[in-house]
Amino acid sequence: MKKSKHYFADKDVQVILGTLLRVGVILSMSVVLLGGIIYLLHHGNGLVDYKIFDSSKNQYASILAVFEGIKSMDSQAVIQFGVLLLIFTPITRVVFSIFSFLIERDYMYVLIGVFVLCVILFSLSNKLVG
């Protein structure tokens, strides 16, 4: 009698993935809320003109710029970091899925997961780094 080794049950993987998504969304929401509070404390009395859009004010368009802004606790950088956490939450889910499929030796699903991860990273590559 040959026993198959199952390291994770399907329910275990689903629970871990669900928890990962829940924690990622709650963490990103908390970071955005913190950045919003900091922003209101520093700029709460300022008037905003919504008639004119100035794209040159977009100083946190890259991940490196966001981390530089976080060092000085700039509220807009903290808010942008929360948004980045929200973007990277499903990416970490895909990475975890790939590793769980590797452990289970489901190589077809590993290839599908790697393909999905490559598509996501390629679509974000010039938007986040540049």
Side-chain angles (χ1 to χ4, degrees):
M1 223 183 232
K2 190 175 183 182
K3 287 187 178 180
S4 63
K5 293 184 179 181
H6 288 285
Y7 298 100
F8 290 117
D10 288 339
K11 186 174 180 174
D12 295 335
V13 172
Q14 290 175 5
V15 168
I16 292 170
L17 290 176
T19 303
L20 178 68
L21 291 174
R22 191 172 20 257
V23 167
V25 169
I26 290 172
L27 182 65
S28 65
M29 179 187 63
S30 301
V31 170
V32 169
L33 180 65
L34 174 69
I37 290 170
I38 295 170
Y39 183 83
L40 288 176
L41 289 174
H42 290 113
H43 306 287
N45 295 331
L47 294 176
V48 180
D49 185 14
Y50 290 109
K51 295 178 186 175
I52 301 171
F53 176 72
D54 187 9
S55 63
S56 65
K57 292 183 180 180
N58 190 6
Q59 58 191 5
Y60 299 116
S62 71
I63 295 175
L64 295 175
V66 171
F67 285 127
E68 288 296 320
I70 286 177
K71 289 179 185 176
S72 63
M73 283 303 288
D74 186 350
S75 59
Q76 293 176 351
V78 173
I79 293 170
Q80 191 70 15
F81 180 67
V83 172
L84 286 174
L85 285 176
L86 188 62
I87 290 170
F88 286 121
T89 297
I91 294 173
T92 56
R93 181 194 188 279
V94 172
V95 170
F96 179 80
S97 296
I98 291 170
F99 283 116
S100 67
F101 290 136
L102 269 174
I103 291 171
E104 291 292 322
R105 297 182 182 175
D106 282 334
Y107 297 116
M108 184 177 75
Y109 289 111
V110 170
L111 288 175
I112 292 170
V114 168
F115 177 74
V116 168
L117 184 63
C118 288
V119 167
I120 292 170
L121 293 178
F122 179 75
S123 68
L124 292 175
S125 64
N126 71 350
K127 292 174 182 63
L128 296 177
V129 178

